[in-house]
Amino acid sequence: MNKEWLTNLVGKVLKVDRGGPESRTGLLLGIYDDHLSILTEQEGVIYYKTDHIKSITENVKKGFQFQLEVPEDFTYKTAATFKDLLDKNLRNQWVNINRGGPEKLEGVLHDINDEFVTLILNEEVIRLSMFHIRSISYGARVEKPKEEEKSEKNKDNKDSGKSEKNKENKAEEKEK
C-alpha cells in the first residue's frame, strides 16, 4: 500500500480487508513505514502490516458505524517499523497476534528478531515467523460510556428540563 496515499486517510473510519478473520473497521490512527494502526470499538488499537492488507474501504456517503469518542489525551504505542514496535514497545506485553483463523495466537511477547517472534503461553514457547504476522494488538482501548452512565445523563437532562418547566408553570400561576 502506498504510504503517501494512506496518510490522507488518517483520522477517517475505514474497513481493513473486505471480510474474513482479519477484517476490522476502525479509526485510522497512523501510517508508518511498513504498518498502520487503527482503533476499533471492540479490540482497541490494532497494528496491521501493510504488505498483508488486501484492501482498504472508505464509505464516502454514509461512513462506517463508529461509536467511540476518543479522548484528547488518548495515547498508543508507535514506532517507525513493525519490528521496532514489537521490540521496543510490545516486548513482555500480553498480545494477540492475527485476528482469527488457525494462526490466531495470544501470549506474552518475549523475544523478537528479524526471522521470528517468541510468545509464551502457559507452559508453551511459541515461535512464529515474522513474515506470517498480519496484525497484532496489545489491549490499548477507549472505554465506551456504560449504559448506566448514559441513562443517568439522560435522566439528569430530563429532570433538569422538568424542573425548568415546573418553575415556568409556577411563575405563570403566580402571575394569574
Side-chain angles (χ1 to χ4, degrees):
M1 296 254 149
N2 184 329
K3 183 179 175 182
E4 291 178 24
W5 174 77
L6 288 171
T7 303
N8 294 327
L9 299 175
V10 171
K12 294 185 178 184
V13 178
L14 306 170
K15 184 174 186 177
V16 176
D17 291 338
R18 295 292 299 159
E22 288 293 319
S23 179
R24 295 294 184 272
T25 300
L27 180 69
L28 183 61
L29 297 173
I31 306 294
Y32 310 96
D33 290 346
D34 59 353
H35 67 285
L36 59 82
S37 57
I38 67 168
L39 176 64
T40 65
E41 291 183 33
Q42 297 82 12
E43 298 172 88
V45 178
I46 301 174
Y47 302 89
Y48 282 93
K49 287 173 67 174
T50 51
D51 58 350
H52 284 288
I53 295 174
K54 295 173 185 71
S55 67
I56 291 183
T57 305
E58 176 185 11
N59 189 330
V60 293
K61 192 168 184 179
K62 296 180 186 175
F64 287 110
Q65 190 83 2
F66 191 73
Q67 301 295 323
L68 288 180
E69 291 182 29
V70 183
E72 289 182 27
D73 62 344
F74 177 71
T75 58
Y76 62 98
K77 300 177 186 299
T78 62
T81 66
F82 192 74
K83 182 179 180 256
D84 284 346
L85 175 73
L86 301 181
D87 195 28
K88 296 177 180 169
N89 293 311
L90 299 180
R91 183 185 295 269
N92 299 322
Q93 299 259 344
W94 186 270
V95 296
N96 291 314
I97 295 179
N98 299 335
R99 310 280 22 106
E103 290 303 314
K104 179 182 179 183
L105 294 170
E106 59 182 296
V108 176
L109 187 60
H110 177 67
D111 190 32
I112 298 98
N113 64 41
D114 290 334
E115 297 297 317
F116 61 88
V117 299
T118 304
L119 264 85
I120 298 174
L121 177 62
N122 299 326
E123 299 87 33
E124 297 179 335
V125 176
I126 305 163
R127 289 177 184 84
L128 177 65
S129 168
M130 281 286 276
F131 175 77
H132 290 288
I133 297 175
R134 295 183 296 275
S135 65
I136 191 166
S137 62
Y138 68 98
R141 292 191 170 130
V142 173
E143 294 296 321
K144 284 185 180 182
K146 293 180 179 146
E147 290 299 319
E148 295 170 0
E149 291 174 7
K150 285 182 184 178
S151 62
E152 284 180 25
K153 284 182 183 178
N154 290 340
K155 183 181 176 184
D156 290 345
N157 290 340
K158 288 178 183 176
D159 288 346
S160 65
K162 286 179 183 176
S163 62
E164 290 297 320
K165 286 183 181 179
N166 288 341
K167 288 178 186 175
E168 289 173 10
N169 289 340
K170 288 180 182 177
E172 289 175 8
E173 287 177 11
K174 285 183 182 178
E175 288 176 6
K176 290 180 183 176

